[in-house]
Structure formats: structure tokens, C-alpha cells
């Protein structure tokens, strides 16, 4: 199967004035693409182009930071890339598949259309049931009962009620409807990677270069789900010391942590506790990078202060501006709201009996993760020159806008190819965990498998 483009049009146009080149057409030669004969990540929208472009953006950033070796000059294996982006589908626990979505997560028909819910975390499931007055039934409520309750409601009412009650559900929209909305206009504005320079300065810290250019860099990871953890896992692959810090409640979903926690240590701190806030601030004071997945302003609300010379990288669902900036969101939810689900549906219309569709992978999450990592690498390289801290922002909805605007739609596409067995690796025996190998050339595996969640001390290694 021959692909045109393969990400060449993806431009991570970082903000001018930071001394950073963000184009993907110039710069170092990243080598050829291998495995171009298969329909990897095949969809109506050019998902493969998005995947290739985001990983190549990271590799070019690494080259600008002084990296050398296969990381920047070896061919990109599209089979490995597809496996990495489809990680939830190739993940196995003791040889068994693990469902990517909980029973109450999915598309549901309403009186006038469709909604998509996200209830993978127990507290989101409880809020969804409470919104419908079904929470007292507890475990007795399955997707059939949820479908009955939603079928008599208007889709917009479901979305509004979910927002008010802290649940996660959106009305399925067409792309035209999304583009015309204030939230759609806001989400599509600005660069794919927003990089700004702060005025305060700190010491200039050179990068290590070579095959792991981020050796010696400390990354404090306050992210969950996929995009943020993919970004920090990638930084760990490039040599950074990554410490992920989670609240003890709610616990992270086990399979999700095992699939994206490679190469990191993992500790628990409660940011509602004064003592734990002080400990988190101690960690942050000597960190080079803070990566967060909170909605805008949440870090400041907790009382954490980002050091002047640190890089603060943020990933959010809807962008930092606009009427939806404060809303919760996940890849599947963004697909539904922005019109991607209708583009990928069998009928091409939200009212069709076949229902809305989805991309062949959580591509918005994975691509946004690589783009965020690219921005962090560029920001660290710039800091090595001028000592200034920087902010790096990526949003799922902005990535979705690029995908919807990209040329090369293929409504008659074949079924997406299954990633090859050689693209996965297994570790351990209790349990045995099978995950995708890194998409980036030069690495057969991550530095070490995901450690048991929350079992490390909240401190930096010497």
C-alpha cells in the first residue's frame, strides 16, 4: 500500500521568538520508512500521516538537541509505529486481552441523536449514573439500562447534565457543526505545539547529546490516561529521570499504568494534604520539567510554584482558551465532539442506525503525547542556550483539528492491518505483561517495565 505524505505536511509551528525551528520539511534526514506495504492505521482520515508526523517531530527535536545515532537517522518502522499507537489493542495481561473501555463507556442513542460517554474511572461512572438517577442501583446498572435511560433524553441535555455533574459525556457532532461552534473555533486556533518563553532566567543547563540526549534531566510527571504518560515515557526513553506522582484516590487503572508507565518511577502524594504539597514542591524545586494533564489553572490552585527556569509542559483536551477550556475530556470524547466519529461512521451521519465510528487507535492521545515530548525537548535545548524557562502546551482538540484539515481522506479504505508480533514484547511472570515496543528507532524496549503503581518513594534518585 503506497501512502502519500506520511506526515510530511505536519508542521509543529512553535511560537516565533524562542529561537526554535519547528518545520518538518527541513532539518536532518531521518531515514526512510519501512513497512509501507501494509494498511497501517487505515481509516477515512489520514491517521498514519498524523502518527508518522508526530513521531518525526520528536525525532527532529532530538536532533536539534544534539542527539545522534539510530534515534535520528534510522528508518521508521511503520509496523512498530502502528503497534505503539494501537497499544491498548496489543496489550496483554498473562496472555489475555484487556478491554480498552469500561461497560458504561461508549456510544449511546438519544431521542435526537447520539452521545459518547467515558466512564472508565469508577468516579466518572458513579457521576454518570447519578446524573440519570441510577446511582442507587449500583453494580446492577449495565450498558443496557444506561441505554434505556439515555434513549428518552435529548443529546444536548445529556451533555449539559454531564458537565454540571462532573460526568464525562458529549453530544456527537458533525465536523461542520463543531467547526462553526465557539469551542471549535477556539480549539482549532494557534499552533499544534504552543511554546512560549518566560521572562525569568535560571542557570543554563547543557544537554547530554548522543543516543540519550536527556540524561540528567529530571521530569516530574503529574499526568494520567494516555497523552501525558506517552510524553513522559518518551522523555524517559531519551534518558530523562521521570518520577510520576499520583493521588492515592482514585487509583490509576492497572492496565493503563502497565501500558504507559515504562521507564518511570511511581509515587503517591495527596495534593490536598499540606505535608504532601510541601513534598511535591521540594521535588518541583529541583526538577527540570513539570508535565501536567490538569485543566488550566489547576496546578496553581494546589499552591505549587513552577521554578523560573523549569519547563512546564501541559496537555489538555480542549485548549487553554474558549468556552470548553475547563471541561474534562478524553481521546474518544474529543473524537465524538469534533466530528471525527461521524467521518469514521459507516453511514456518515449521526442519525444512521450503524451509529458513529472511531479511529483505529487512540491516535489523538498518542500523537499529542509525541508532540508534547517534542516541545519539551526543544524547550530544554533552548534553555541550554539562554537559561529561560518555557511553557509547552498541546491539546487533543487542536490535534483533532489538524487531522480533520489534512488532505488524503480515503472513505474506501481497507481494514487496518494487525500490528506484527515482532512489534510487541513481554516481561515478567506474575503477571506477564505484553506491550508494544517503542515506535522510535534505536530502542528495542523501554529502560524497564512499568513498576507496581505508587510503590516508589517520592524523591529523586541521586
Amino acid at each position: 500500500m503506497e501512502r502519500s505524505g506520511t506526515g510530511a505536511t505536519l508542521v509543529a509551528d512553535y511560537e516565533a521568538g524562542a529561537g526554535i525551528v519547528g518545520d518538518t520539511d527541513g532539518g536532518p534526514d531521518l531515514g526512510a520508512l519501512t513497512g509501507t506495504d501494509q494498511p497501517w492505521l487505515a481509516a477515512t482520515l489520514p491517521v498514519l500521516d498524523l502518527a508518522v508526523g508526530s513521531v518525526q517531530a520528536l525525532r527532529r527535536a532530538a536532533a536539534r538537541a544534539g542527539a545522534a545515532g539510530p534515534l535520528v537517522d534510522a528508518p521508521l518502522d511503520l509496523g512498530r509505529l502502528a503497534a505503539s499507537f494501537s497499544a491498548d489493542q496489543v496489550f496483554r495481561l498473562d496472555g489475555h486481552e484487556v478491554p480498552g473501555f469500561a461497560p458504561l463507556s461508549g456510544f449511546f442513542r438519544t431521542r435526537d441523536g447520539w452521545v459518547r460517554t467515558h466512564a472508565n474511572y469508577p468516579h466518572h461512572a458513579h457521576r454518570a449514573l447519578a446524573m440519570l438517577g441510577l446511582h442507587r442501583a449500583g453494580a446492577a446498572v449495565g450498558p443496557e439500562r444506561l441505554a434505556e435511560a439515555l434513549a428518552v433524553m435529548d443529546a444536548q441535555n445529556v451533555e449539559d447534565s454531564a458537565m454540571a455533574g462532573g460526568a464525562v459525556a458529549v453530544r456527537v457532532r458533525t465536523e461542520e457543526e463543531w467547526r462553526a461552534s465557539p469551542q471549535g473555533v477556539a480549539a482549532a486556533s494557534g499552533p499544534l505545539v504552543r511554546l512560549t518563553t518566560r521572562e525569568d532566567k535560571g542557570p543554563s543547563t547543557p544537554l547530554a547529546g548522543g543516543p540519550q540526549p536527556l540524561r540528567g534531566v529530571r521530569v516530574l510527571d503529574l499526568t494520567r490516561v494516555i497523552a501525558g504518560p506517552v510524553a513522559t515515557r518518551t522523555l524517559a526513553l531519551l534518558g530523562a529521570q521521570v518520577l510520576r506522582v499520583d493521588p492515592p484516590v482514585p487509583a490509576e487503572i492497572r492496565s493503563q499504568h502497565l501500558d504507559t508507565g515504562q521507564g518511570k518511577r511511581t509515587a503517591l502524594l495527596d495534593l490536598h494534604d499540606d505535608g504532601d504539597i510541601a513534598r511535591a514542591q521540594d521535588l518541583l524545586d529541583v526538577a527540570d520539567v513539570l508535565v501536567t494533564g490538569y485543566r488550566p489553572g489547576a496546578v496553581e490552585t494546589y499552591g505549587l510554584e513552577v521554578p523560573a527556569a523549569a519547563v512546564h509542559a501541559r496537555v489538555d483536551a480542549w485548549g487553554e482558551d474558549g468556552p470548553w477550556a475547563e471541561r474534562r475530556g478524553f481521546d474518544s470524547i474529543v473524537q465524538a465532539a469534533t466530528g471525527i466519529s461521524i467521518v469514521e461512521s459507516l453511514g456518515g451521519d449521526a442519525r444512521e442506525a450503524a451509529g458513529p465510528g472511531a479511529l483505529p487507535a487512540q491516535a489523538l492521545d498518542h500523537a499529542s503525547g509525541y508532540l508534547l515530548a517534542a516541545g519539551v525537548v526543544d524547550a530544554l535545548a533552548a534553555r541550554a542556550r539562554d537559561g529561560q524557562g518555557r511553557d509547552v502546551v498541546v491539546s487533543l482538540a487542536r490535534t483533532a483539528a489538524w487531522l480533520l484539515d489534512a488532505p488524503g481522506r480515503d472513505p474506501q479504505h481497507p481494514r487496518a492491518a494487525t500490528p506484527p508480533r515482532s512489534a510487541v514484547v513481554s516481561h515478567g511472570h506474575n503477571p506477564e505483561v505484553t506491550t508494544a515496543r517503542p515506535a522510535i528507532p534505536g530502542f528495542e524496549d523501554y529502560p524497564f517495565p512499568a513498576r507496581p503503581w505508587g510503590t516508589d518513594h517520592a524523591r529523586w534518585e541521586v
Side-chain angles (χ1 to χ4, degrees), residues 273-366:
D273 177 85
D274 290 343
D276 280 2
I277 277 284
R279 185 69 189 120
Q281 187 64 57
D282 288 343
L283 294 169
L284 181 55
D285 285 343
V286 293
D288 298 287
V289 181
L290 170 66
V291 186
T292 59
Y294 295 116
R295 286 166 290 165
V299 169
E300 292 77 10
T301 299
Y302 284 121
L304 293 175
E305 296 183 7
V306 181
V311 174
H312 185 188
R314 304 189 292 278
V315 58
D316 57 51
W318 309 107
E320 295 206 319
D321 303 306
W324 280 27
E326 298 293 328
R327 293 198 179 195
R328 298 171 178 85
F330 299 89
D331 184 309
S332 60
I333 294 295
V334 175
Q335 288 188 43
T338 59
I340 290 175
S341 295
I342 300 304
V343 173
E344 297 296 340
S345 68
L346 295 177
D349 190 292
R351 295 175 295 276
E352 291 289 335
L359 300 176
Q362 300 290 287
L364 304 181
D365 264 329
H366 285 271

Side-chain angles (χ1 to χ4, degrees), residues 199-223:
E199 294 182 1
D200 296 332
K201 285 191 175 184
S204 299
T205 307
L207 296 180
Q212 289 190 303
L214 300 189
R215 290 193 314 276
V217 171
R218 290 173 169 173
V219 177
L220 186 60
D221 177 5
L222 304 184
T223 68

Side-chain angles (χ1 to χ4, degrees), residues 71-435:
L71 166 62
V72 296
D73 59 25
L76 181 64
D77 185 330
L78 297 187
R80 286 257 295 259
L81 177 76
S84 181
F85 269 64
S86 307
D88 59 323
Q89 300 168 39
V90 303
F91 179 85
R92 298 290 185 273
L93 200 57
D94 282 333
H96 299 290
E97 294 184 28
V98 178
F101 290 98
L104 300 187
S105 296
F107 291 109
F108 293 90
R109 185 183 285 279
T110 64
R111 183 162 50 196
D112 60 347
W114 293 83
V115 294
R116 175 129 197 176
T117 63
H118 194 286
N120 286 8
Y121 285 102
H123 63 293
H124 287 156
H126 177 80
R127 291 170 186 171
L129 296 178
M131 171 185 78
L132 300 170
L134 301 175
H135 55 294
R136 290 184 176 84
V141 178
E144 296 81 8
R145 180 68 185 92
L146 182 64
E148 291 175 1
L150 292 172
V152 298
M153 299 179 66
D154 292 334
Q156 188 61 53
N157 188 24
V158 174
E159 180 177 284
D160 294 342
S161 298
M163 173 59 186
V168 184
V170 293
R171 177 168 62 88
V172 176
R173 292 164 169 79
T174 65
E175 59 178 309
E176 293 78 15
E177 186 179 7
W178 172 255
R179 290 178 191 274
S181 68
Q183 58 269 24
V185 171
S189 64
L192 276 169
V193 181
R194 187 187 300 273
L195 198 154
T196 54
T197 305
R198 295 198 295 273
E199 294 182 1
D200 296 332
K201 285 191 175 184
S204 299
T205 307
L207 296 180
Q212 289 190 303
L214 300 189
R215 290 193 314 276
V217 171
R218 290 173 169 173
V219 177
L220 186 60
D221 177 5
L222 304 184
T223 68
R224 282 194 170 193
V225 194
I226 298 176
V230 164
T232 54
R233 181 182 66 181
T234 302
L235 298 177
L237 194 66
L238 300 188
Q241 179 187 165
V242 179
L243 176 61
R244 172 168 164 168
V245 173
D246 281 276
V249 178
E252 178 58 296
I253 299 169
R254 185 189 188 199
S255 60
Q256 208 153 253
H257 171 69
L258 292 174
D259 189 39
T260 59
Q262 302 99 315
K264 314 172 196 178
R265 291 186 302 118
T266 163
L268 302 180
L269 290 175
D270 183 355
L271 297 186
H272 295 95
D273 177 85
D274 290 343
D276 280 2
I277 277 284
R279 185 69 189 120
Q281 187 64 57
D282 288 343
L283 294 169
L284 181 55
D285 285 343
V286 293
D288 298 287
V289 181
L290 170 66
V291 186
T292 59
Y294 295 116
R295 286 166 290 165
V299 169
E300 292 77 10
T301 299
Y302 284 121
L304 293 175
E305 296 183 7
V306 181
V311 174
H312 185 188
R314 304 189 292 278
V315 58
D316 57 51
W318 309 107
E320 295 206 319
D321 303 306
W324 280 27
E326 298 293 328
R327 293 198 179 195
R328 298 171 178 85
F330 299 89
D331 184 309
S332 60
I333 294 295
V334 175
Q335 288 188 43
T338 59
I340 290 175
S341 295
I342 300 304
V343 173
E344 297 296 340
S345 68
L346 295 177
D349 190 292
R351 295 175 295 276
E352 291 289 335
L359 300 176
Q362 300 290 287
L364 304 181
D365 264 329
H366 285 271
S368 297
Y370 286 112
L371 290 171
L372 190 67
V376 168
V377 173
D378 267 331
L380 287 170
R383 188 185 74 159
R385 298 191 295 269
D386 61 23
Q388 290 182 280
R390 283 168 171 80
D391 293 296
V392 183
V393 180
V394 168
S395 75
L396 303 186
R398 180 63 186 87
T399 303
W402 181 90
L403 183 60
L404 286 165
D405 288 341
R409 294 193 182 190
D410 182 12
Q412 305 303 318
H413 63 87
R415 182 184 297 274
T418 301
R421 176 64 190 172
S422 60
V424 303
V425 61
S426 297
H427 292 284
H429 300 286
N430 189 25
E432 181 186 56
V433 177
T434 301
T435 59

Side-chain angles (χ1 to χ4, degrees), residues 30-34 56 59 70 72-78 439-442:
L30 296 180
L33 303 176
T34 64
Q56 299 291 59
R59 297 178 70 198
V72 296
D73 59 25
L76 181 64
D77 185 330
L78 297 187
I440 303 171

